[in-house]
Amino acid sequence: MLGKFVDQKAQERYFATYDAILRKWPVPAEELDVETRFGPTRIRRSGTGQGTPIVLLHGVMGTSLSWYSYVAELAERHTVYAVDTIGEPGRSVQTRPVQSGQDQADWLADVLAGLGHEKFHLVGISRGAMIALDLAMRSSDRIARVIAFEPGGFGTIGLRFVLWSFGQMFRWLLPAPILRRIMPGDPYVRRTLAPLLLRGLKYKPHFPPQYEFTDDQLRAIEVPVHFVLAERCAVHNSREVAARVEALNPRLRAEVVPKTTHALPLEEPDLTISRILTLV
């Protein structure tokens, strides 16, 4: 029930790629290992700004490195912590299964406690946003705000999303000039991250069973949450999600970004950075 690579060779190739991408991290950084009840968690700290610290939570299998093209601007004003989620490929080392939303919340609570600040802004993409919401529903002690880009927990991953994902992966392998013509955003970011995602296919994660957030859970959130949703999401109807969360809880606000997919942060990098810096 622990995430692991299929063999030692796959692990070595993955981390060689990880380290190569890490050299592209654009600002000085300190590597930290924070102890949690699910294993030591690798976190990269950048920036020394006086604002409330930001914790960055990546999408599934993306690792903290998926934030490399955003971190420079964020770190100008804030201390930024980019996390390798436990149970996924990356530099964190899982020692205990993560079997539920409660476990995910407990893991993130341990991470925040280990970092030692009074409050944090949590910024998550996809599964990372889902984990941030899992904690916000249960405890607001260390959370100032959550910014959730395309969060999980509002639909079931099915064939439509799987086909979309494979289509995305295929396009990422195309030459950058072609990629620039057919997909919005910086093609070189996708080309940089693609080898890591491909080598991550030889990692066997063990995620909790799929679940959707209930109305009572969303009502229980006691901190501001801003949802940034893609108009063309392959998992949920974003306009229905936006209407639902705003009707359930006055602390929850949502926007739907036209012509975007679940890869919204890659498609709209300027909007992504702008929303974070405006809201924190």
Side-chain angles (χ1 to χ4, degrees):
M1 295 299 292
L2 301 180
K4 62 181 181 179
F5 287 94
V6 296
D7 55 43
Q8 184 66 27
K9 188 174 183 179
Q11 179 174 307
E12 291 171 357
R13 287 179 172 176
Y14 181 88
F15 285 123
T17 302
Y18 183 106
D19 292 342
I21 298 172
L22 179 56
R23 290 193 284 273
K24 296 180 181 291
W25 198 258
V27 291
E30 178 184 5
E31 302 285 319
L32 309 172
D33 286 312
V34 173
E35 292 297 329
T36 77
R37 70 194 85 176
F38 299 92
T41 297
R42 176 62 56 89
I43 299 169
R44 189 168 304 106
R45 177 170 59 195
S46 299
T48 57
Q50 297 304 306
T52 300
I54 298 171
V55 172
L56 301 175
L57 300 163
H58 58 81
V60 64
M61 311 295 277
T63 81
S64 58
L65 297 176
S66 62
W67 294 99
Y68 89 93
S69 63
Y70 308 90
V71 69
E73 291 184 64
L74 301 180
E76 288 181 0
R77 305 184 198 176
H78 300 262
T79 298
V80 178
Y81 295 98
V83 182
D84 279 356
T85 301
I86 206 84
E88 300 188 32
R91 291 290 183 185
S92 297
V93 180
Q94 187 178 20
T95 59
R96 173 181 164 188
V98 176
Q99 302 183 83
S100 65
Q102 181 66 62
D103 284 349
Q104 293 185 152
D106 289 343
W107 165 75
L108 183 54
D110 289 352
V111 167
L112 301 186
L115 293 176
H117 299 275
E118 183 178 350
K119 293 285 185 180
F120 299 87
H121 296 297
L122 304 183
V123 179
I125 297 173
S126 190
R127 182 170 182 250
M130 184 181 191
I131 294 172
L133 292 172
D134 270 322
L135 179 58
M137 292 167 184
R138 294 167 170 84
S139 172
S140 60
D141 290 349
R142 292 184 180 270
I143 304 175
R145 177 185 293 274
V146 176
I147 305 174
F149 291 90
E150 274 293 285
F154 294 93
T156 301
I157 294 175
L159 179 60
R160 182 184 173 205
F161 182 78
V162 172
L163 292 175
W164 174 85
S165 298
F166 277 108
Q168 287 279 310
M169 189 171 295
F170 171 77
R171 291 182 182 93
W172 283 30
L173 299 176
L174 295 172
I178 297 176
L179 194 53
R180 187 188 301 277
R181 293 182 180 182
I182 65 173
M183 299 183 78
D186 187 341
Y188 294 100
V189 173
R190 290 184 174 91
R191 293 283 297 171
T192 295
L193 296 173
L196 193 71
L197 291 177
L198 288 173
R199 293 201 163 159
L201 294 176
K202 291 193 174 183
Y203 183 92
K204 294 184 176 181
H206 287 281
F207 298 132
Q210 290 194 60
Y211 58 93
E212 297 184 37
F213 296 129
T214 67
D215 288 355
D216 286 343
Q217 286 177 315
L218 294 168
R219 290 190 189 101
I221 297 175
E222 297 181 349
V223 295
V225 178
H226 188 83
F227 293 83
V228 186
L229 305 171
E231 182 181 47
R232 298 173 180 172
C233 179
V235 180
H236 54 245
N237 183 311
S238 292
R239 298 199 183 279
E240 291 181 358
V241 172
R244 177 189 173 207
V245 298
E246 290 191 344
L248 287 172
N249 188 331
R251 300 178 183 87
L252 312 185
R253 291 289 180 264
E255 64 175 306
V256 179
V257 182
K259 300 180 181 180
T260 55
T261 73
H262 191 65
L264 187 160
L266 286 170
E267 295 167 353
E268 294 286 348
D270 292 340
L271 180 147
T272 299
I273 292 172
S274 174
R275 289 297 182 276
I276 296 171
L277 292 179
T278 299
L279 291 166
V280 302

